[in-house]
Amino acid sequence: MKRLFSIILLLLVSISFLTAQNTDNEETPDDYYEDISYKANGAGDQYIKIALMGMFPLNFGDKLSTGGAAEIGYHRFVSEYFALGFDVQFGYNPTIGSNMFTYVPMTFTGTFQPYIGNFEFPLTFGIGAALESYLNRNYFPGLILKGQAGFFYRVAESWSFGVESEYMYMPQWYADHKEWNDYGLFLSAGLIARYHF
């Protein structure tokens, strides 16, 4: 009888171990799925920007006419909303005397880019140097400061298109010829394509 009682007790204990659940390690169907919420950009995402712009001189009166510029840039996101990058631009403005003022600004940039759905709104600040040329006079390195604001639509994961406006400040300071000191203020409006990867 003692043996039968021991066997029944052993069976009950064994069954209880088989049906016991450890609530600390309990798996649910949700444990098999990651959070896959979509974010337009994340740390490590990159894009190449190509722009064609009209350049409007703001402080040269009747000396410079409306010109144009082309720009290419590389940018890398360090967080969901902030990117660092580098832009190179080639711009020109004709003078009234049919000469040409040309400039090649090279800027390091920081971009804050909020977004709503597929709409992106980058705000960029850049600082760098510019090679400036007019007639037989070259000026390098010239300081350049620029601020940009844009509106883009992400048409696909890899492409966005939009418009951007830029305010650019380019001073020229001469130690030997202070009478040549000047500064240029330019406003641009451009069409931009960005390839994201």
Side-chain angles (χ1 to χ4, degrees):
M1 185 75 169
K2 288 183 181 180
R3 184 177 281 183
L4 181 62
F5 180 72
S6 299
I7 291 173
I8 291 172
L9 185 61
L10 185 60
L11 280 172
L12 288 175
V13 171
S14 298
I15 289 171
S16 69
F17 282 133
L18 290 176
T19 59
Q21 294 182 357
N22 184 348
T23 57
D24 292 339
N25 295 328
E26 184 177 346
E27 291 186 357
T28 64
D30 292 338
D31 292 337
Y32 296 107
Y33 301 101
E34 286 185 36
D35 178 18
I36 54 172
S37 58
Y38 177 75
K39 294 181 180 178
N41 301 299
D45 288 353
Q46 306 165 69
Y47 67 89
I48 294 173
K49 174 173 106 172
I50 301 168
L52 292 175
M53 301 174 281
M55 297 298 292
F56 308 98
L58 299 178
N59 66 326
F60 288 103
D62 58 354
K63 296 178 184 177
L64 288 180
S65 300
T66 299
E71 182 176 81
I72 187 165
Y74 166 80
H75 303 265
R76 182 182 180 95
F77 281 90
V78 295
S79 71
E80 181 181 357
Y81 296 104
F82 190 72
L84 297 174
F86 185 76
D87 291 331
V88 177
Q89 184 182 96
F90 174 79
Y92 72 93
N93 286 87
T95 67
I96 298 304
S98 298
N99 295 309
M100 200 68 66
F101 171 59
T102 60
Y103 39 95
V104 181
M106 296 159 278
T107 54
F108 291 100
T109 63
T111 300
F112 171 69
Q113 180 177 276
Y115 64 93
I116 300 171
N118 287 345
F119 296 96
E120 300 173 329
F121 309 95
L123 300 171
T124 302
F125 176 75
I127 185 169
L131 169 62
E132 302 168 43
S133 180
Y134 176 69
L135 296 176
N136 61 351
R137 186 187 312 161
N138 292 325
Y139 184 79
F140 182 81
L143 174 69
I144 179 166
L145 300 173
K146 69 177 183 177
Q148 297 171 312
F151 170 80
F152 288 83
Y153 182 74
R154 183 76 71 100
V155 296
E157 187 176 340
S158 297
W159 287 99
S160 62
F161 298 94
V163 294
E164 196 167 58
S165 183
E166 172 181 274
Y167 180 80
M168 194 163 56
Y169 171 67
M170 288 192 307
Q172 291 184 352
W173 297 308
Y174 294 90
D176 298 336
H177 298 280
K178 294 194 182 299
E179 69 276 10
W180 293 353
N181 287 357
D182 206 348
Y183 64 96
L185 298 175
F186 295 87
L187 185 66
S188 75
L191 299 174
I192 321 290
R194 302 189 304 177
Y195 174 69
H196 302 262
F197 59 100

